[in-house]
C-alpha cells in the first residue's frame, strides 16, 4: 500500500533502479535502429511510387521497364520475376523491414508520454472534413487523399496524352480502323490504371497487416480507405470493359469475343467473369444495400476469390505481378485468420442486463495483448456458421485476470437470437440462474483483437469521452485501463475525464454496472477527477420505479474458470511468430516459382497467358500452406506450452481446489450504480448534449491545454462532435483524429 502511494506521487517517468542503468543505452540503440529502418521503409516506398509514376510515360517509363526486363529476363524467373520485383517487391520489402522494427520495439512503453501544457497541431487528430460522403476526415487523411488523387490524375493524364495523339492522327486521316485503335488503346490504358489501383486495394483490409501496424492505423479505420479505392477501381474497370464492348459491337463480334478463351494473349471470358463479380460486389456494397441487407453485401463480397482468380487468368502472370504484392499479403493474413477462427472458445460467463444487453466473457492467454478501444470479430455457431460480427472490447487490458469481455446489445436479428438463446438456456428473463449452472453450451470463434499499437487515450491529461448507446462499451475499457494503471502505480497521464453518454431510455444505465470503479481503484477521487453526464433523450422524467422491475441474471462456470481460451495467432499477438510466418510464406513463394520455372515452365515452353496466371496463383496459395503452415503449427504448439505453464503457475499460487464462483456478482438493480460514490454524475432527461456549450465550458475550466476527445457512436454523433472540435480548435488557435471502426478521436 505504501508502495502504491509512493508511486502515485512520483513523476510520470519513475527513476531507474540501480540494476537498470543499461536500459537507456539499449533503448537509445533500439530507437536509433528503428529510425534507420523507418528511413529505409520510406525510401523503398518512394522508389515504389516513382516506378508507378514513370510507368505510364511512353518514353521514360517504357525505356526503364524494357531495360530492366532485359537485364532480369536471363534469370530463372524471367519477365514475370522482373515485373514482380519492381512493382510488388517494394511492398514485401517494406513488410520485412516493418517486422524487424516491430520486434525491436518490444513491449509498448509509456515513457514517451508527457504532459503538454500547450495544445499542438496534430495532422492525425485535426478534423478537416466533418460531413459529406467521406465522413469525418482528419488532416493527415485529407493530405493522403489529395496525394492519391494527384497520382490518379497523373496516370490518367499520361495515358490521355497518348490517346489524344492517336486521336489527332485519326482526325488527319479518319478511318473506322483508326477509331477502333483509339478505343482499344483507351481500354488498354484503363486496364493498366486498374492494376495500379489493385496494387493498393487489398492493403487496407489485411486485418493483421504488419504494414498497418507499423504506421499505427487500425484495421477499422483502414477499411474506409478500401471502400474509397474500391469505388475508384470499379469505375476504371467498368470503363475498361465498356471500351472493348463498344469495339466488339462496332465489329459485330460481341458474342464471339465475350466467350473467347484464347491460349495466345489475353483471354476475354475470364475478364468478363472478373468484371461481373466486381460489379456484383460493387452494387451490393453501396450504402443503401449494405445498411439494409448487410448479409447480402457480406456474402456477395466473398466473390473476391472469383475476382482475383479470373483476373489472373485474364491478364496472365506478368501483368498480375503488378498487383500481386498486396494480394499476397492479404492471402497470408486470410489463411492465418482462418487457422485462428477454427478454434472454439468457451464462454466462461454470461451476464444479461435488464436493457437487453448481454455481456460475454472469454478466457484469453496472458501473452495476448490489446489496448482499450480494441475490438474482436465474434462468431457463435449456435446462431450462424457464417456470420461474423465486430464488437468493442469492454474489459480493461491492464486488469491482469486473463479474461476479455464484450457487450452485445440486442438491436438486430443475430443479437436478438443470442439474447433469446441465453434467456431460454438459463431461465426466463428476470430470473437469476443457479450458481452452479453451466454456460458451456455457448461456444464462440474469435478473430482479433485488432486496434492501435499504442494506447493514445493515455497521452492526454484531459479527456472527453462521448458515447452514444452501446458505444459506452469501449469507454468502460478505457476507464478500467486508467484505474488499473493508477492502482498499480504505473505511468498514466489522464487526470481529468468527462464521460458524455447519450442514451434513449434509462434502462441502459445498467451498462455501467459492468465496471465497479471503487472496487478497481479505492480512493478514486484522489487519483482521477471523473465526471459522468448522461442524457436520456426519450424520457422526460425519471422512471417511477427505480429499476426493481427488471433484474438481470448471471451464469458462471464451475469447471471452466479458465476455459478454452482465445488464440494469439492474429491481432496483437506475438510479433516474432507472425513475422516468421510472413517471411517463410514469401520465401516459399520464391522457391516454388523457381522450381516451377526450372522444372516445368521453361523445359516445356509454357507460354499460355491464362495458364501461367493460374500457376502463379497456385504458387501463392501453396506457399502459404506448405511453408507458412508449419510455422503456424509450431506457433500453436508454443502457445499450448505457454498456456500450460500459465495454468501450472496459477495452480501453484492457489492451493485451494477450483470451485464454482461467479465471475460477475455485481448485477445492479437501480438506475445508476451506487458504487460510483466518488464520481461526479448527472442525468439529464429529455435533452441532447449541446457540444458547443460543453466544449466551451470545459475549455474555460481546464484552460488552453491539450484535450483529447474520443467519440464512439453513429456517424451523426461523430460529425457533430468533430464540427465543434474543429470550431473550438480554430478559435483557440490549437489545431489538432485517431479513427476507429465506430469511434473517432479528436483534439480540442
Amino acid at each position: 500500500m505504501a508502495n502504491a502511494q509512493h508511486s502515485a506521487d512520483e513523476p510520470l517517468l519513475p527513476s531507474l533502479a540501480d540494476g537498470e542503468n543499461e536500459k537507456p543505452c539499449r533503448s537509445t540503440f533500439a530507437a536509433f535502429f528503428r529510425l534507420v529502418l523507418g528511413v529505409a521503409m520510406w525510401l523503398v516506398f518512394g522508389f515504389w511510387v516513382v516506378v508507378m509514376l514513370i510507368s505510364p510515360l511512353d518514353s521514360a517509363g517504357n525505356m526503364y521497364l524494357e531495360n530492366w526486363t532485359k537485364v532480369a529476363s536471363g534469370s530463372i524467373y524471367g519477365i514475370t520475376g522482373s515485373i514482380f520485383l519492381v512493382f510488388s517487391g517494394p511492398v514485401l520489402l517494406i513488410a520485412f523491414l516493418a517486422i524487424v522494427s516491430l520486434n525491436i520495439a518490444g513491449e509498448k512503453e509509456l515513457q514517451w508520454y508527457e504532459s503538454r501544457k500547450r495544445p499542438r497541431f496534430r495532422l492525425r487528430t485535426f478534423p478537416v472534413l466533418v460531413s459529406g460522403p467521406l465522413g469525418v476526415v482528419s488532416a493527415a487523411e485529407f493530405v493522403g487523399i489529395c496525394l492519391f488523387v494527384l497520382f490518379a490524375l497523373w496516370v490518367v493524364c499520361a495515358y490521355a496524352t497518348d490517346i489524344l495523339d492517336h486521336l489527332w492522327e485519326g482526325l488527319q486521316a479518319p478511318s473506322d480502323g483508326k477509331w477502333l485503335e483509339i478505343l482499344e488503346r483507351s481500354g488498354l490504358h484503363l486496364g493498366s490504371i486498374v492494376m495500379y489501383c489493385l496494387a493498393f486495394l487489398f492493403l487496407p483490409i489485411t486485418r493483421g497487416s504488419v504494414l498497418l501496424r507499423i504506421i499505427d492505423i487500425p484495421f477499422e479505420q483502414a477499411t474506409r480507405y478500401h471502400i474509397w479505392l474500391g469505388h475508384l477501381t470499379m469505375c476504371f474497370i467498368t470503363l475498361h470493359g465498356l471500351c472493348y464492348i463498344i469495339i466488339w459491337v462496332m465489329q459485330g463480334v460481341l458474342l464471339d469475343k465475350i466467350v473467347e478463351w484464347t491460349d495466345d494473349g489475353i483471354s476475354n471470358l475470364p475478364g468478363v467473369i472478373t468484371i461481373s463479380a466486381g460489379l456484383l460486389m460493387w452494387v451490393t456494397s453501396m450504402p443503401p444495400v449494405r445498411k439494409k441487407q448487410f448479409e447480402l453485401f457480406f456474402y456477395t463480397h466473398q466473390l473476391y476469390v472469383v475476382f482475383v482468380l479470373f483476373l489472373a487468368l485474364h491478364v496472365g502472370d506478368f501483368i498480375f505481378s503488378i498487383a500481386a504484392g498486396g494480394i499476397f499479403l492479404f492471402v497470408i493474413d486470410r489463411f492465418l485468420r482462418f487457422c485462428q477462427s477454427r478454434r472454439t472458445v468457451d464462454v466462461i460467463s454470461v451476464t444479461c442486463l435488464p436493457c437487453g444487453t448481454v455481456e460475454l466473457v472469454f478466457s484469453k492467454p496472458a501473452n495476448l495483448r490489446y489496448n482499450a478501444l480494441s475490438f474482436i470479430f465474434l462468431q457463435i455457431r449456435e446462431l450462424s456458421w457464417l456470420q461474423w460480427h465486430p464488437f468493442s472490447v469492454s474489459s480493461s487490458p491492464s486488469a491482469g485476470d486473463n479474461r476479455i469481455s464484450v457487450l452485445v446489445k440486442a438491436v438486430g436479428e443475430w443479437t436478438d437470437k443470442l439474447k433469446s438463446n441465453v434467456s431460454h438456456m438459463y431461465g426466463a428473463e428476470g430470473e437469476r440462474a443457479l450458481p452452479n449452472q453451466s454456460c458451456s453450451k455457448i461456444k464462440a470463434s474469435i478473430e482479433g483483437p485488432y486496434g492501435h499499437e499504442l494506447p493514445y487515450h493515455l497521452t492526454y491529461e484531459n479527456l472527453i469521452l462521448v458515447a452514444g448507446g452501446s458505444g459506452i462499451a469501449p469507454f468502460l475499457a478505457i476507464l478500467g485501463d486508467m484505474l488499473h494503471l493508477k492502482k498499480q502505480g504505473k505511468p498514466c497521464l489522464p487526470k481529468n475525464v468527462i464521460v458524455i453518454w447519450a442514451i434513449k431510455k434509462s434502462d441502459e444505465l445498467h451498462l455501467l454496472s459492468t465496471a465497479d470503479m471503487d472496487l478497481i481503484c479505492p480512493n478514486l477521487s484522489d487519483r482521477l477527477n471523473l465526471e459522468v453526464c448522461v442524457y436520456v433523450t426519450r424520457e422526460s422524467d425519471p422512471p417511477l420505479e427505480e429499476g426493481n422491475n427488471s433484474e438481470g441474471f448471471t451464469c458462471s462456470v464451475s469447471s471452466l474458470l479458465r476455459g478454452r481460451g482465445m488464440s494469439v495467432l492474429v491481432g496483437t499477438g506475438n510479433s516474432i511468430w507472425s513475422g516468421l510466418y510472413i517471411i517463410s510464406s514469401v520465401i516459399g513463394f520464391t522457391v516454388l516459382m523457381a522450381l516451377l520455372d526450372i522444372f516445368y515452365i521453361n523445359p516445356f515452353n509454357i507460354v499460355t497467358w491464362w495458364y501461367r496466371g493460374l500457376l502463379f496463383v497456385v504458387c501463392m496459395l501453396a506457399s502459404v500452406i506448405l511453408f507458412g503452415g508449419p510455422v503456424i503449427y509450431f506457433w500453436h504448439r508454443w502457445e499450448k506450452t505457454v498456456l500450460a505453464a500459465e495454468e501450472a503457475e496459477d495452480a501453484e499460487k492457489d492451493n485451494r481446489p477450483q470451485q464454482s464462483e461467479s465471475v460477475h456478482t455485481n448485477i445492479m438493480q437501480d438506475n445508476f450504480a451506487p458504487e460510483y460514490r466518488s464520481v461526479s454524475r448527472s442525468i439529464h432527461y429529455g435533452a441532447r448534449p449541446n457540444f458547443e456549450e460543453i466544449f466551451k465550458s470545459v475549455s474555460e475550466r481546464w484552460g488552453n491545454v491539450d484535450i483529447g476527445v474520443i467519440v464512439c457512436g453513429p456517424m451523426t454523433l461523430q460529425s457533430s462532435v468533430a464540427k465543434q472540435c474543429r470550431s473550438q480548435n480554430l478559435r483557440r488557435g490549437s489545431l489538432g483524429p485517431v479513427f476507429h471502426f465506430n469511434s473517432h478521436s479528436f483534439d480540442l
Side-chain angles (χ1 to χ4, degrees):
M1 184 66 182
N3 185 32
Q5 180 64 34
H6 173 74
S7 300
D9 297 334
E10 287 293 322
L12 180 62
L13 301 181
S15 59
L16 294 172
D18 295 336
E20 298 177 339
N21 292 329
E22 296 181 359
K23 285 187 176 181
C25 296
R26 293 197 300 266
S27 178
T28 302
F29 175 77
F32 175 75
F33 198 27
R34 289 198 300 270
L35 177 62
V36 173
L37 291 173
V39 172
M41 284 186 277
W42 277 109
L43 291 176
V44 175
F45 178 75
F47 168 79
W48 187 42
V49 172
V50 169
V51 170
M52 293 284 190
L53 289 175
I54 67 173
S55 296
L57 299 177
D58 277 344
S59 56
N62 288 338
M63 182 178 64
Y64 167 77
L65 290 177
E66 288 177 3
N67 292 336
W68 170 253
T69 52
K70 286 180 181 178
V71 173
S73 59
S75 66
I76 58 176
Y77 298 102
I79 297 178
T80 301
S82 63
I83 295 179
F84 181 86
L85 186 61
V86 171
F87 287 95
S88 295
V91 180
L92 301 179
L93 180 56
I94 293 174
F96 285 4
L97 295 175
I99 290 170
V100 177
S101 180
L102 287 174
N103 282 285
I104 290 175
E107 293 289 333
K108 307 176 184 66
E109 297 180 356
L110 303 180
Q111 62 184 20
W112 58 274
Y113 297 157
E114 58 182 19
S115 175
R116 302 182 181 96
K117 298 302 182 182
R118 302 290 299 178
R120 71 174 189 176
F121 176 77
R122 295 183 182 90
L123 285 175
R124 300 181 62 175
T125 56
F126 177 68
V128 175
L129 304 178
V130 297
S131 60
L134 299 181
V136 181
V137 178
S138 70
E141 289 176 324
F142 185 74
V143 171
I145 292 171
C146 291
L147 292 177
F148 191 86
V149 169
L150 289 176
F151 165 73
L153 290 176
W154 164 261
V155 176
V156 171
C157 290
Y159 284 137
T161 302
D162 177 69
I163 295 172
L164 289 175
D165 290 340
H166 284 77
L167 178 61
W168 176 252
E169 294 176 4
L171 292 175
Q172 298 295 327
S175 64
D176 291 341
K178 200 66 179 180
W179 286 107
L180 290 176
E181 182 183 352
I182 292 172
L183 277 174
E184 186 171 359
R185 293 184 72 88
S186 301
L188 181 63
H189 292 330
L190 287 167
S192 299
I193 298 175
V194 169
M195 298 308 299
Y196 296 146
C197 292
L198 288 174
F200 295 93
L201 182 63
F202 286 85
L203 295 177
I205 54 167
T206 306
R207 293 182 184 175
S209 172
V210 67
L211 300 179
L212 295 180
R213 291 181 61 190
I214 197 63
I215 57 179
D216 201 21
I217 296 180
F219 162 74
E220 67 273 22
Q221 176 182 344
T223 301
R224 60 187 198 155
Y225 308 154
H226 169 76
I227 295 174
W228 300 341
L229 288 169
H231 290 313
L232 186 64
T233 302
M234 288 311 303
C235 286
F236 285 122
I237 201 172
T238 303
L239 294 175
H240 166 74
L242 286 176
C243 285
Y244 285 97
I245 289 177
I246 294 173
I247 293 173
W248 298 335
V249 170
M250 293 176 63
Q251 294 177 338
V253 292
L254 178 62
L255 294 180
D256 293 335
K257 286 292 185 179
I258 285 179
V259 298
E260 184 180 65
W261 195 314
T262 180
D263 292 337
D264 184 17
I266 290 180
S267 299
N268 295 331
L269 182 57
V272 172
I273 297 174
T274 299
I275 294 178
S276 300
L279 288 175
L280 188 56
M281 289 189 291
W282 193 24
V283 170
T284 55
S285 67
M286 294 298 177
V289 180
R290 189 177 69 249
K291 292 179 180 180
K292 296 181 180 180
Q293 299 290 335
F294 182 81
E295 289 189 19
L296 177 63
F297 153 75
F298 177 78
Y299 295 140
T300 54
H301 234 63
Q302 307 311 307
L303 291 173
Y304 74 86
V305 178
V306 176
F307 181 90
V308 172
L309 175 61
F310 282 90
L311 174 67
L313 299 178
H314 173 59
V315 301
D317 56 341
F318 70 94
I319 297 179
F320 185 76
S321 297
I322 296 175
I327 295 175
F328 191 30
L329 290 178
F330 174 79
V331 171
I332 292 174
D333 177 76
R334 189 64 191 88
F335 181 71
L336 187 61
R337 290 193 287 117
F338 172 80
C339 294
Q340 184 196 38
S341 62
R342 294 309 92 196
R343 169 183 289 192
T344 56
V345 181
D346 292 314
V347 179
I348 60 176
S349 174
V350 174
T351 302
C352 189
L353 299 175
C355 59
T357 298
V358 177
E359 182 186 29
L360 302 177
V361 181
F362 311 97
S363 176
K364 77 171 185 67
N367 63 325
L368 189 146
R369 303 182 305 274
Y370 66 97
N371 285 319
L373 284 178
S374 294
F375 71 99
I376 62 174
F377 282 88
L378 181 64
Q379 177 209 50
I380 298 181
R381 298 179 182 178
E382 288 80 5
L383 306 181
S384 173
W385 279 77
L386 298 176
Q387 295 186 41
W388 290 83
H389 296 268
F391 295 99
S392 297
V393 175
S394 60
S395 56
S396 167
S398 304
D401 55 1
N402 293 339
R403 293 189 176 100
I404 191 170
S405 63
V406 296
L407 294 174
V408 182
K409 185 177 181 180
V411 292
E413 181 180 352
W414 188 89
T415 52
D416 284 336
K417 189 183 297 185
L418 172 64
K419 179 177 178 294
S420 177
N421 283 14
V422 170
S423 299
H424 288 307
M425 195 176 301
Y426 305 114
E429 184 177 1
E431 289 184 5
R432 190 182 300 274
L434 295 176
N436 293 327
Q437 198 162 4
S438 173
C439 297
S440 58
K441 296 180 181 178
I442 300 180
K443 294 184 179 295
S445 296
I446 296 176
E447 285 186 14
Y450 303 103
H452 280 288
E453 282 293 297
L454 293 171
Y456 284 95
H457 60 280
L458 299 180
T459 63
Y460 299 90
E461 279 194 1
N462 310 284
L463 273 177
I464 300 178
L465 309 179
V466 183
S470 58
I472 194 66
F475 293 162
L476 297 178
I478 286 181
L479 294 175
D481 191 30
M482 292 187 296
L483 296 178
H484 278 291
L485 289 174
K486 289 182 179 293
K487 180 181 179 181
Q488 298 164 10
K490 296 181 179 180
C492 183
L493 190 59
K495 297 179 180 178
N496 304 300
V497 179
I498 295 180
V499 180
I500 302 171
W501 187 24
I503 57 178
K504 295 179 180 179
K505 296 184 178 180
S506 57
D507 59 0
E508 296 186 48
L509 289 168
H510 288 272
L511 292 176
L512 293 175
S513 67
T514 59
D516 191 335
M517 304 251 174
D518 279 324
L519 181 62
I520 295 174
C521 184
N523 302 320
L524 171 61
S525 59
D526 297 334
R527 300 169 183 259
L528 182 68
N529 180 22
L530 176 61
E531 302 178 38
V532 179
C533 302
V534 183
Y535 293 82
V536 184
T537 60
R538 295 191 179 181
E539 293 180 3
S540 57
D541 298 298
L544 296 178
E545 298 183 6
E546 293 297 324
N548 292 324
N549 57 341
S550 182
E551 181 181 348
F553 62 86
T554 300
C555 172
S556 304
V557 178
S558 57
S559 60
L560 297 176
L561 289 178
R562 288 187 66 97
R564 184 175 174 86
M566 299 167 54
S567 171
V568 297
L569 294 183
V570 189
T572 53
N574 191 289
S575 297
I576 296 178
W577 281 107
S578 61
L580 290 175
Y581 167 67
I582 296 174
I583 293 174
S584 63
S585 298
V586 174
I587 293 176
F589 174 71
T590 59
V591 170
L592 289 180
M593 285 297 298
L595 295 176
L596 191 66
D597 285 332
I598 293 173
F599 296 104
Y600 183 63
I601 293 180
N602 295 330
F604 292 94
N605 194 26
I606 305 297
V607 296
T608 304
W609 285 27
W610 69 265
Y611 186 52
R612 289 174 64 106
L614 177 62
L615 293 176
F616 191 93
V617 174
V618 169
C619 283
M620 288 175 57
L621 298 176
S623 63
V624 172
I625 298 174
L626 298 179
F627 288 82
V631 176
I632 295 178
Y633 171 77
F634 288 113
W635 188 356
H636 176 68
R637 299 295 301 177
W638 171 83
E639 182 185 351
K640 292 182 65 176
T641 303
V642 172
L643 184 61
E646 291 178 7
E647 292 177 347
E649 183 178 354
D650 291 344
E652 184 178 349
K653 289 181 179 179
D654 188 3
N655 295 325
R656 302 188 308 272
Q658 292 185 351
Q659 59 185 1
S660 174
E661 64 178 58
S662 176
V663 178
H664 289 278
T665 57
N666 185 29
I667 304 301
M668 307 313 303
Q669 300 184 18
D670 58 352
N671 273 347
F672 212 100
E675 73 271 17
Y676 291 91
R677 294 182 298 273
S678 56
V679 178
S680 174
R681 60 185 184 271
S682 61
I683 306 179
H684 308 271
Y685 289 91
R688 298 180 180 274
N690 187 327
F691 294 111
E692 181 177 4
E693 294 183 359
I694 293 173
F695 292 168
K696 182 179 179 180
S697 173
V698 168
S699 298
E700 293 175 352
R701 191 194 326 169
W702 290 345
N704 192 27
V705 296
D706 261 356
I707 302 175
V709 183
I710 305 178
V711 189
C712 188
M715 283 303 303
T716 53
L717 180 64
Q718 297 174 22
S719 298
S720 300
V721 174
K723 182 178 180 181
Q724 292 302 322
C725 285
R726 185 180 64 178
S727 175
Q728 290 287 332
N729 278 324
L730 294 175
R731 186 181 304 120
R732 292 163 53 215
S734 66
L735 302 178
V738 182
F739 296 91
H740 289 266
F741 178 79
N742 62 341
S743 63
H744 291 167
S745 303
F746 311 99
D747 284 343
L748 181 59

